[in-house]
mmCIF file of all heavy atoms in Angstrom:
data_model
loop_
_atom_site.group_PDB
_atom_site.id
_atom_site.type_symbol
_atom_site.label_atom_id
_atom_site.label_comp_id
_atom_site.label_asym_id
_atom_site.label_seq_id
_atom_site.Cartn_x
_atom_site.Cartn_y
_atom_site.Cartn_z
ATOM 1 N N MET A 146 0.812 -1.208 0.000
ATOM 2 C CA MET A 146 0.000 0.000 0.000
ATOM 3 C C MET A 146 0.847 1.261 0.000
ATOM 4 O O MET A 146 1.985 1.255 0.465
ATOM 5 C CB MET A 146 -0.910 0.009 1.238
ATOM 6 C CG MET A 146 -1.766 -1.227 1.366
ATOM 7 S SD MET A 146 -2.800 -1.193 2.846
ATOM 8 C CE MET A 146 -3.691 -2.742 2.646
ATOM 9 N N VAL A 147 0.255 2.332 -0.498
ATOM 10 C CA VAL A 147 0.856 3.666 -0.459
ATOM 11 C C VAL A 147 -0.123 4.585 0.266
ATOM 12 O O VAL A 147 -1.280 4.716 -0.138
ATOM 13 C CB VAL A 147 1.151 4.201 -1.879
ATOM 14 C CG1 VAL A 147 1.738 5.605 -1.800
ATOM 15 C CG2 VAL A 147 2.099 3.274 -2.627
ATOM 16 N N ASN A 148 0.339 5.197 1.356
ATOM 17 C CA ASN A 148 -0.447 6.184 2.111
ATOM 18 C C ASN A 148 -1.805 5.634 2.578
ATOM 19 O O ASN A 148 -2.837 6.293 2.461
ATOM 20 C CB ASN A 148 -0.649 7.456 1.278
ATOM 21 C CG ASN A 148 0.666 8.159 0.991
ATOM 22 O OD1 ASN A 148 1.587 8.133 1.813
ATOM 23 N ND2 ASN A 148 0.773 8.784 -0.172
ATOM 24 N N ALA A 149 -1.789 4.425 3.113
ATOM 25 C CA ALA A 149 -3.017 3.826 3.640
ATOM 26 C C ALA A 149 -2.680 2.883 4.785
ATOM 27 O O ALA A 149 -1.571 2.353 4.869
ATOM 28 C CB ALA A 149 -3.764 3.077 2.540
ATOM 29 N N SER A 150 -3.649 2.661 5.658
ATOM 30 C CA SER A 150 -3.476 1.785 6.815
ATOM 31 C C SER A 150 -3.424 0.320 6.397
ATOM 32 O O SER A 150 -4.174 -0.115 5.512
ATOM 33 C CB SER A 150 -4.637 1.998 7.797
ATOM 34 O OG SER A 150 -4.655 1.016 8.803
ATOM 35 N N THR A 151 -2.585 -0.439 7.076
ATOM 36 C CA THR A 151 -2.508 -1.887 6.819
ATOM 37 C C THR A 151 -3.831 -2.578 7.115
ATOM 38 O O THR A 151 -4.088 -3.672 6.607
ATOM 39 C CB THR A 151 -1.417 -2.531 7.696
ATOM 40 O OG1 THR A 151 -1.694 -2.274 9.082
ATOM 41 C CG2 THR A 151 -0.039 -1.987 7.355
ATOM 42 N N ARG A 152 -4.688 -1.952 7.909
ATOM 43 C CA ARG A 152 -5.963 -2.555 8.288
ATOM 44 C C ARG A 152 -6.912 -2.754 7.102
ATOM 45 O O ARG A 152 -7.919 -3.441 7.209
ATOM 46 C CB ARG A 152 -6.643 -1.692 9.360
ATOM 47 C CG ARG A 152 -5.952 -1.726 10.699
ATOM 48 C CD ARG A 152 -6.292 -2.976 11.500
ATOM 49 N NE ARG A 152 -7.674 -2.948 11.927
ATOM 50 C CZ ARG A 152 -8.608 -3.804 11.533
ATOM 51 N NH1 ARG A 152 -8.306 -4.784 10.692
ATOM 52 N NH2 ARG A 152 -9.841 -3.694 11.974
ATOM 53 N N PHE A 153 -6.566 -2.168 5.950
ATOM 54 C CA PHE A 153 -7.424 -2.322 4.770
ATOM 55 C C PHE A 153 -7.250 -3.664 4.076
ATOM 56 O O PHE A 153 -8.031 -4.000 3.186
ATOM 57 C CB PHE A 153 -7.182 -1.189 3.759
ATOM 58 C CG PHE A 153 -7.858 0.096 4.133
ATOM 59 C CD1 PHE A 153 -7.120 1.185 4.562
ATOM 60 C CD2 PHE A 153 -9.236 0.225 4.066
ATOM 61 C CE1 PHE A 153 -7.736 2.380 4.906
ATOM 62 C CE2 PHE A 153 -9.869 1.417 4.416
ATOM 63 C CZ PHE A 153 -9.116 2.498 4.837
ATOM 64 N N ASN A 154 -6.219 -4.446 4.444
ATOM 65 C CA ASN A 154 -6.049 -5.748 3.789
ATOM 66 C C ASN A 154 -7.084 -6.712 4.340
ATOM 67 O O ASN A 154 -6.865 -7.442 5.309
ATOM 68 C CB ASN A 154 -4.637 -6.294 4.005
ATOM 69 C CG ASN A 154 -4.374 -7.513 3.118
ATOM 70 O OD1 ASN A 154 -5.227 -7.927 2.346
ATOM 71 N ND2 ASN A 154 -3.175 -8.071 3.233
ATOM 72 N N ASP A 155 -8.226 -6.716 3.675
ATOM 73 C CA ASP A 155 -9.398 -7.444 4.159
ATOM 74 C C ASP A 155 -10.330 -7.661 2.969
ATOM 75 O O ASP A 155 -10.490 -6.770 2.131
ATOM 76 C CB ASP A 155 -10.077 -6.608 5.251
ATOM 77 C CG ASP A 155 -11.407 -7.175 5.677
ATOM 78 O OD1 ASP A 155 -11.420 -8.048 6.548
ATOM 79 O OD2 ASP A 155 -12.451 -6.740 5.129
ATOM 80 N N GLY A 156 -10.917 -8.842 2.893
ATOM 81 C CA GLY A 156 -11.782 -9.139 1.757
ATOM 82 C C GLY A 156 -12.927 -8.172 1.597
ATOM 83 O O GLY A 156 -13.243 -7.738 0.483
ATOM 84 N N GLY A 157 -13.563 -7.805 2.707
ATOM 85 C CA GLY A 157 -14.671 -6.862 2.632
ATOM 86 C C GLY A 157 -14.228 -5.507 2.146
ATOM 87 O O GLY A 157 -14.885 -4.881 1.307
ATOM 88 N N GLN A 158 -13.095 -5.019 2.666
ATOM 89 C CA GLN A 158 -12.570 -3.715 2.260
ATOM 90 C C GLN A 158 -12.127 -3.708 0.800
ATOM 91 O O GLN A 158 -12.162 -2.669 0.144
ATOM 92 C CB GLN A 158 -11.403 -3.315 3.167
ATOM 93 C CG GLN A 158 -11.781 -3.090 4.617
ATOM 94 C CD GLN A 158 -12.714 -1.905 4.801
ATOM 95 O OE1 GLN A 158 -12.567 -0.872 4.159
ATOM 96 N NE2 GLN A 158 -13.700 -2.063 5.678
ATOM 97 N N PHE A 159 -11.709 -4.863 0.278
ATOM 98 C CA PHE A 159 -11.264 -4.951 -1.110
ATOM 99 C C PHE A 159 -12.402 -5.260 -2.078
ATOM 100 O O PHE A 159 -12.182 -5.432 -3.268
ATOM 101 C CB PHE A 159 -10.182 -6.030 -1.256
ATOM 102 C CG PHE A 159 -8.823 -5.630 -0.720
ATOM 103 C CD1 PHE A 159 -7.762 -6.522 -0.767
ATOM 104 C CD2 PHE A 159 -8.588 -4.368 -0.195
ATOM 105 C CE1 PHE A 159 -6.506 -6.171 -0.285
ATOM 106 C CE2 PHE A 159 -7.345 -4.006 0.297
ATOM 107 C CZ PHE A 159 -6.298 -4.914 0.252
ATOM 108 N N GLY A 160 -13.628 -5.346 -1.543
ATOM 109 C CA GLY A 160 -14.772 -5.578 -2.420
ATOM 110 C C GLY A 160 -15.023 -7.033 -2.748
ATOM 111 O O GLY A 160 -15.773 -7.340 -3.690
ATOM 112 N N LEU A 161 -14.432 -7.954 -1.968
ATOM 113 C CA LEU A 161 -14.624 -9.377 -2.235
ATOM 114 C C LEU A 161 -15.823 -9.938 -1.482
ATOM 115 O O LEU A 161 -16.163 -11.097 -1.646
ATOM 116 C CB LEU A 161 -13.382 -10.177 -1.823
ATOM 117 C CG LEU A 161 -12.043 -9.759 -2.431
ATOM 118 C CD1 LEU A 161 -10.933 -10.661 -1.908
ATOM 119 C CD2 LEU A 161 -12.097 -9.798 -3.946
ATOM 120 N N GLY A 162 -16.463 -9.115 -0.640
ATOM 121 C CA GLY A 162 -17.455 -9.636 0.274
ATOM 122 C C GLY A 162 -16.722 -10.244 1.457
ATOM 123 O O GLY A 162 -15.605 -9.870 1.774
ATOM 124 N N ALA A 163 -17.340 -11.216 2.118
ATOM 125 C CA ALA A 163 -16.650 -11.902 3.203
ATOM 126 C C ALA A 163 -15.454 -12.659 2.638
ATOM 127 O O ALA A 163 -15.451 -13.072 1.484
ATOM 128 C CB ALA A 163 -17.614 -12.862 3.896
ATOM 129 N N GLU A 164 -14.415 -12.822 3.464
ATOM 130 C CA GLU A 164 -13.232 -13.564 3.015
ATOM 131 C C GLU A 164 -13.098 -14.843 3.815
ATOM 132 O O GLU A 164 -13.574 -14.953 4.952
ATOM 133 C CB GLU A 164 -11.968 -12.723 3.189
ATOM 134 C CG GLU A 164 -11.592 -12.539 4.649
ATOM 135 C CD GLU A 164 -10.307 -11.765 4.841
ATOM 136 O OE1 GLU A 164 -10.034 -10.851 4.041
ATOM 137 O OE2 GLU A 164 -9.600 -12.061 5.807
ATOM 138 N N ILE A 165 -12.434 -15.825 3.237
ATOM 139 C CA ILE A 165 -12.218 -17.089 3.926
ATOM 140 C C ILE A 165 -10.844 -17.117 4.591
ATOM 141 O O ILE A 165 -10.524 -18.017 5.359
ATOM 142 C CB ILE A 165 -12.374 -18.272 2.950
ATOM 143 C CG1 ILE A 165 -12.763 -19.533 3.712
ATOM 144 C CG2 ILE A 165 -11.123 -18.469 2.112
ATOM 145 C CD1 ILE A 165 -13.298 -20.630 2.843
ATOM 146 N N GLY A 166 -10.033 -16.110 4.332
ATOM 147 C CA GLY A 166 -8.702 -16.029 4.915
ATOM 148 C C GLY A 166 -7.798 -15.197 4.027
ATOM 149 O O GLY A 166 -8.185 -14.788 2.921
ATOM 150 N N ILE A 167 -6.593 -14.937 4.511
ATOM 151 C CA ILE A 167 -5.602 -14.198 3.733
ATOM 152 C C ILE A 167 -4.405 -15.102 3.508
ATOM 153 O O ILE A 167 -3.738 -15.517 4.469
ATOM 154 C CB ILE A 167 -5.179 -12.902 4.450
ATOM 155 C CG1 ILE A 167 -6.368 -11.946 4.550
ATOM 156 C CG2 ILE A 167 -4.018 -12.227 3.727
ATOM 157 C CD1 ILE A 167 -6.070 -10.658 5.281
ATOM 158 N N SER A 168 -4.155 -15.425 2.270
ATOM 159 C CA SER A 168 -3.036 -16.307 1.937
ATOM 160 C C SER A 168 -1.748 -15.503 1.813
ATOM 161 O O SER A 168 -1.697 -14.494 1.111
ATOM 162 C CB SER A 168 -3.312 -17.022 0.611
ATOM 163 O OG SER A 168 -2.149 -17.688 0.172
ATOM 164 N N THR A 169 -0.700 -15.976 2.495
ATOM 165 C CA THR A 169 0.619 -15.346 2.341
ATOM 166 C C THR A 169 1.551 -16.242 1.547
ATOM 167 O O THR A 169 2.765 -16.039 1.548
ATOM 168 C CB THR A 169 1.229 -15.020 3.720
ATOM 169 O OG1 THR A 169 1.285 -16.201 4.515
ATOM 170 C CG2 THR A 169 0.386 -13.976 4.437
ATOM 171 N N THR A 170 0.990 -17.261 0.898
ATOM 172 C CA THR A 170 1.736 -18.051 -0.070
ATOM 173 C C THR A 170 1.113 -17.826 -1.439
ATOM 174 O O THR A 170 -0.031 -17.395 -1.543
ATOM 175 C CB THR A 170 1.701 -19.545 0.286
ATOM 176 O OG1 THR A 170 0.342 -19.936 0.499
ATOM 177 C CG2 THR A 170 2.496 -19.827 1.545
ATOM 178 N N LYS A 171 1.847 -18.115 -2.500
ATOM 179 C CA LYS A 171 1.427 -17.683 -3.832
ATOM 180 C C LYS A 171 0.668 -18.742 -4.624
ATOM 181 O O LYS A 171 0.203 -18.455 -5.721
ATOM 182 C CB LYS A 171 2.651 -17.213 -4.616
ATOM 183 C CG LYS A 171 3.307 -15.994 -3.972
ATOM 184 C CD LYS A 171 4.567 -15.579 -4.707
ATOM 185 C CE LYS A 171 5.207 -14.395 -4.005
ATOM 186 N NZ LYS A 171 6.478 -13.996 -4.623
ATOM 187 N N LEU A 172 0.554 -19.951 -4.126
ATOM 188 C CA LEU A 172 -0.187 -21.001 -4.812
ATOM 189 C C LEU A 172 -1.310 -21.467 -3.901
ATOM 190 O O LEU A 172 -1.059 -21.902 -2.787
ATOM 191 C CB LEU A 172 0.735 -22.184 -5.138
ATOM 192 C CG LEU A 172 1.878 -21.920 -6.118
ATOM 193 C CD1 LEU A 172 2.739 -23.165 -6.256
ATOM 194 C CD2 LEU A 172 1.362 -21.479 -7.470
ATOM 195 N N HIS A 173 -2.552 -21.388 -4.364
ATOM 196 C CA HIS A 173 -2.946 -20.894 -5.673
ATOM 197 C C HIS A 173 -3.489 -19.469 -5.596
ATOM 198 O O HIS A 173 -3.946 -18.913 -6.592
ATOM 199 C CB HIS A 173 -4.023 -21.813 -6.265
ATOM 200 C CG HIS A 173 -5.380 -21.676 -5.637
ATOM 201 N ND1 HIS A 173 -5.701 -22.249 -4.452
ATOM 202 C CD2 HIS A 173 -6.471 -20.970 -6.020
ATOM 203 C CE1 HIS A 173 -6.924 -21.945 -4.120
ATOM 204 N NE2 HIS A 173 -7.432 -21.174 -5.054
ATOM 205 N N ALA A 174 -3.459 -18.889 -4.377
ATOM 206 C CA ALA A 174 -3.992 -17.538 -4.176
ATOM 207 C C ALA A 174 -3.018 -16.756 -3.308
ATOM 208 O O ALA A 174 -2.243 -17.329 -2.535
ATOM 209 C CB ALA A 174 -5.359 -17.603 -3.516
ATOM 210 N N TYR A 175 -3.052 -15.424 -3.434
ATOM 211 C CA TYR A 175 -2.159 -14.537 -2.674
ATOM 212 C C TYR A 175 -2.998 -13.368 -2.190
ATOM 213 O O TYR A 175 -3.532 -12.612 -2.991
ATOM 214 C CB TYR A 175 -1.036 -14.061 -3.587
ATOM 215 C CG TYR A 175 0.229 -13.581 -2.909
ATOM 216 C CD1 TYR A 175 0.567 -13.957 -1.612
ATOM 217 C CD2 TYR A 175 1.117 -12.752 -3.600
ATOM 218 C CE1 TYR A 175 1.742 -13.527 -1.022
ATOM 219 C CE2 TYR A 175 2.305 -12.319 -3.022
ATOM 220 C CZ TYR A 175 2.615 -12.712 -1.726
ATOM 221 O OH TYR A 175 3.786 -12.282 -1.137
ATOM 222 N N GLY A 176 -3.151 -13.239 -0.879
ATOM 223 C CA GLY A 176 -3.961 -12.167 -0.323
ATOM 224 C C GLY A 176 -5.324 -12.666 0.110
ATOM 225 O O GLY A 176 -5.556 -13.870 0.266
ATOM 226 N N PRO A 177 -6.283 -11.743 0.343
ATOM 227 C CA PRO A 177 -7.618 -12.143 0.782
ATOM 228 C C PRO A 177 -8.274 -13.095 -0.219
ATOM 229 O O PRO A 177 -8.205 -12.890 -1.427
ATOM 230 C CB PRO A 177 -8.383 -10.819 0.859
ATOM 231 C CG PRO A 177 -7.338 -9.774 1.027
ATOM 232 C CD PRO A 177 -6.153 -10.272 0.241
ATOM 233 N N MET A 178 -8.890 -14.145 0.301
ATOM 234 C CA MET A 178 -9.510 -15.157 -0.541
ATOM 235 C C MET A 178 -11.020 -14.962 -0.568
ATOM 236 O O MET A 178 -11.702 -15.183 0.431
ATOM 237 C CB MET A 178 -9.171 -16.550 -0.035
ATOM 238 C CG MET A 178 -7.715 -16.918 -0.220
ATOM 239 S SD MET A 178 -7.426 -18.655 0.128
ATOM 240 C CE MET A 178 -8.456 -19.442 -1.094
ATOM 241 N N GLY A 179 -11.512 -14.539 -1.708
ATOM 242 C CA GLY A 179 -12.940 -14.396 -1.906
ATOM 243 C C GLY A 179 -13.474 -15.505 -2.787
ATOM 244 O O GLY A 179 -12.945 -16.622 -2.813
ATOM 245 N N LEU A 180 -14.527 -15.217 -3.533
ATOM 246 C CA LEU A 180 -15.185 -16.249 -4.333
ATOM 247 C C LEU A 180 -14.280 -16.870 -5.383
ATOM 248 O O LEU A 180 -14.175 -18.095 -5.494
ATOM 249 C CB LEU A 180 -16.424 -15.662 -5.019
ATOM 250 C CG LEU A 180 -17.652 -15.421 -4.152
ATOM 251 C CD1 LEU A 180 -18.749 -14.800 -4.989
ATOM 252 C CD2 LEU A 180 -18.114 -16.728 -3.529
ATOM 253 N N LYS A 181 -13.627 -16.041 -6.197
ATOM 254 C CA LYS A 181 -12.824 -16.596 -7.290
ATOM 255 C C LYS A 181 -11.696 -17.463 -6.778
ATOM 256 O O LYS A 181 -11.299 -18.437 -7.424
ATOM 257 C CB LYS A 181 -12.274 -15.469 -8.170
ATOM 258 C CG LYS A 181 -13.264 -14.957 -9.187
ATOM 259 C CD LYS A 181 -12.593 -14.242 -10.335
ATOM 260 C CE LYS A 181 -13.601 -13.940 -11.440
ATOM 261 N NZ LYS A 181 -12.978 -13.257 -12.590
ATOM 262 N N GLU A 182 -11.173 -17.102 -5.596
ATOM 263 C CA GLU A 182 -10.067 -17.873 -5.039
ATOM 264 C C GLU A 182 -10.520 -19.234 -4.524
ATOM 265 O O GLU A 182 -9.689 -20.082 -4.200
ATOM 266 C CB GLU A 182 -9.394 -17.074 -3.918
ATOM 267 C CG GLU A 182 -8.572 -15.895 -4.395
ATOM 268 C CD GLU A 182 -9.425 -14.731 -4.905
ATOM 269 O OE1 GLU A 182 -10.564 -14.565 -4.419
ATOM 270 O OE2 GLU A 182 -8.941 -13.992 -5.785
ATOM 271 N N LEU A 183 -11.830 -19.446 -4.438
ATOM 272 C CA LEU A 183 -12.369 -20.749 -4.040
ATOM 273 C C LEU A 183 -12.837 -21.557 -5.246
ATOM 274 O O LEU A 183 -13.593 -22.524 -5.115
ATOM 275 C CB LEU A 183 -13.533 -20.557 -3.063
ATOM 276 C CG LEU A 183 -13.116 -20.012 -1.700
ATOM 277 C CD1 LEU A 183 -14.332 -19.736 -0.838
ATOM 278 C CD2 LEU A 183 -12.185 -20.986 -0.998
ATOM 279 N N THR A 184 -12.391 -21.142 -6.423
ATOM 280 C CA THR A 184 -12.663 -21.885 -7.653
ATOM 281 C C THR A 184 -11.352 -22.111 -8.396
ATOM 282 O O THR A 184 -10.314 -21.584 -8.032
ATOM 283 C CB THR A 184 -13.632 -21.118 -8.574
ATOM 284 O OG1 THR A 184 -13.014 -19.879 -8.977
ATOM 285 C CG2 THR A 184 -14.948 -20.809 -7.876
ATOM 286 N N THR A 185 -11.440 -22.918 -9.438
ATOM 287 C CA THR A 185 -10.302 -23.096 -10.332
ATOM 288 C C THR A 185 -10.848 -23.074 -11.757
ATOM 289 O O THR A 185 -12.041 -22.809 -11.959
ATOM 290 C CB THR A 185 -9.566 -24.417 -10.027
ATOM 291 O OG1 THR A 185 -8.378 -24.487 -10.821
ATOM 292 C CG2 THR A 185 -10.446 -25.628 -10.313
ATOM 293 N N GLN A 186 -9.992 -23.317 -12.738
ATOM 294 C CA GLN A 186 -10.436 -23.332 -14.130
ATOM 295 C C GLN A 186 -10.079 -24.665 -14.773
ATOM 296 O O GLN A 186 -8.987 -25.192 -14.558
ATOM 297 C CB GLN A 186 -9.793 -22.190 -14.923
ATOM 298 C CG GLN A 186 -10.321 -20.813 -14.570
ATOM 299 C CD GLN A 186 -9.664 -19.729 -15.405
ATOM 300 O OE1 GLN A 186 -8.444 -19.581 -15.394
ATOM 301 N NE2 GLN A 186 -10.455 -18.982 -16.134
ATOM 302 N N LYS A 187 -11.030 -25.180 -15.525
ATOM 303 C CA LYS A 187 -10.721 -26.366 -16.325
ATOM 304 C C LYS A 187 -10.835 -25.995 -17.807
ATOM 305 O O LYS A 187 -11.528 -25.038 -18.166
ATOM 306 C CB LYS A 187 -11.679 -27.502 -15.999
ATOM 307 C CG LYS A 187 -13.135 -27.283 -16.386
ATOM 308 C CD LYS A 187 -13.983 -28.487 -15.987
ATOM 309 C CE LYS A 187 -15.459 -28.296 -16.334
ATOM 310 N NZ LYS A 187 -16.291 -29.430 -15.869
ATOM 311 N N PHE A 188 -10.122 -26.726 -18.639
ATOM 312 C CA PHE A 188 -10.203 -26.494 -20.078
ATOM 313 C C PHE A 188 -11.467 -27.142 -20.630
ATOM 314 O O PHE A 188 -11.867 -28.240 -20.201
ATOM 315 C CB PHE A 188 -8.979 -27.077 -20.787
ATOM 316 C CG PHE A 188 -7.748 -26.235 -20.640
ATOM 317 C CD1 PHE A 188 -6.824 -26.510 -19.648
ATOM 318 C CD2 PHE A 188 -7.514 -25.160 -21.483
ATOM 319 C CE1 PHE A 188 -5.685 -25.734 -19.494
ATOM 320 C CE2 PHE A 188 -6.385 -24.374 -21.345
ATOM 321 C CZ PHE A 188 -5.464 -24.661 -20.349
ATOM 322 N N ILE A 189 -12.096 -26.443 -21.561
ATOM 323 C CA ILE A 189 -13.247 -27.003 -22.270
ATOM 324 C C ILE A 189 -12.957 -26.928 -23.761
ATOM 325 O O ILE A 189 -12.263 -26.018 -24.240
ATOM 326 C CB ILE A 189 -14.557 -26.271 -21.930
ATOM 327 C CG1 ILE A 189 -14.454 -24.776 -22.252
ATOM 328 C CG2 ILE A 189 -14.913 -26.467 -20.458
ATOM 329 C CD1 ILE A 189 -15.786 -24.042 -22.124
ATOM 330 N N VAL A 190 -13.472 -27.889 -24.513
ATOM 331 C CA VAL A 190 -13.193 -27.991 -25.946
ATOM 332 C C VAL A 190 -14.493 -28.215 -26.706
ATOM 333 O O VAL A 190 -15.300 -29.083 -26.337
ATOM 334 C CB VAL A 190 -12.217 -29.159 -26.236
ATOM 335 C CG1 VAL A 190 -11.998 -29.294 -27.741
ATOM 336 C CG2 VAL A 190 -10.898 -28.957 -25.513
ATOM 337 N N TYR A 191 -14.728 -27.403 -27.745
ATOM 338 C CA TYR A 191 -15.832 -27.605 -28.673
ATOM 339 C C TYR A 191 -15.258 -28.122 -29.992
ATOM 340 O O TYR A 191 -14.281 -27.549 -30.504
ATOM 341 C CB TYR A 191 -16.572 -26.298 -28.939
ATOM 342 C CG TYR A 191 -17.374 -25.776 -27.783
ATOM 343 C CD1 TYR A 191 -16.850 -24.803 -26.927
ATOM 344 C CD2 TYR A 191 -18.655 -26.241 -27.522
ATOM 345 C CE1 TYR A 191 -17.584 -24.304 -25.857
ATOM 346 C CE2 TYR A 191 -19.409 -25.756 -26.463
ATOM 347 C CZ TYR A 191 -18.864 -24.795 -25.632
ATOM 348 O OH TYR A 191 -19.592 -24.313 -24.589
ATOM 349 N N GLY A 192 -15.864 -29.165 -30.498
ATOM 350 C CA GLY A 192 -15.415 -29.688 -31.780
ATOM 351 C C GLY A 192 -16.587 -30.012 -32.678
ATOM 352 O O GLY A 192 -17.748 -29.942 -32.279
ATOM 353 N N SER A 193 -16.288 -30.377 -33.909
ATOM 354 C CA SER A 193 -17.338 -30.789 -34.863
ATOM 355 C C SER A 193 -16.842 -31.989 -35.659
ATOM 356 O O SER A 193 -16.899 -31.996 -36.887
ATOM 357 C CB SER A 193 -17.704 -29.629 -35.778
ATOM 358 O OG SER A 193 -16.546 -29.123 -36.410
#
């Protein structure tokens, strides 16, 4: 942060809604964990 209180590191303050925790490791999430951080992505394929 620049010119702000450390107390802002919070899911609610960051617009994530409620948070499930703050990750200080980089896999698979870093920082407050909101909805997207509780999902992953799979590949999908359309063919003909």
Side-chain angles (χ1 to χ4, degrees):
M146 305 179 178
V147 178
N148 296 327
S150 169
T151 58
R152 290 280 291 115
F153 281 109
N154 191 1
D155 172 86
Q158 295 295 320
F159 285 179
L161 305 180
E164 70 177 34
I165 205 164
I167 295 178
S168 170
T169 56
T170 51
K171 297 177 182 177
L172 296 176
H173 74 281
Y175 202 22
M178 291 190 61
L180 285 178
K181 278 201 171 181
E182 288 72 29
L183 292 175
T184 63
T185 186
Q186 289 181 302
K187 66 181 179 184
F188 283 96
I189 58 172
V190 177
Y191 290 97
S193 54

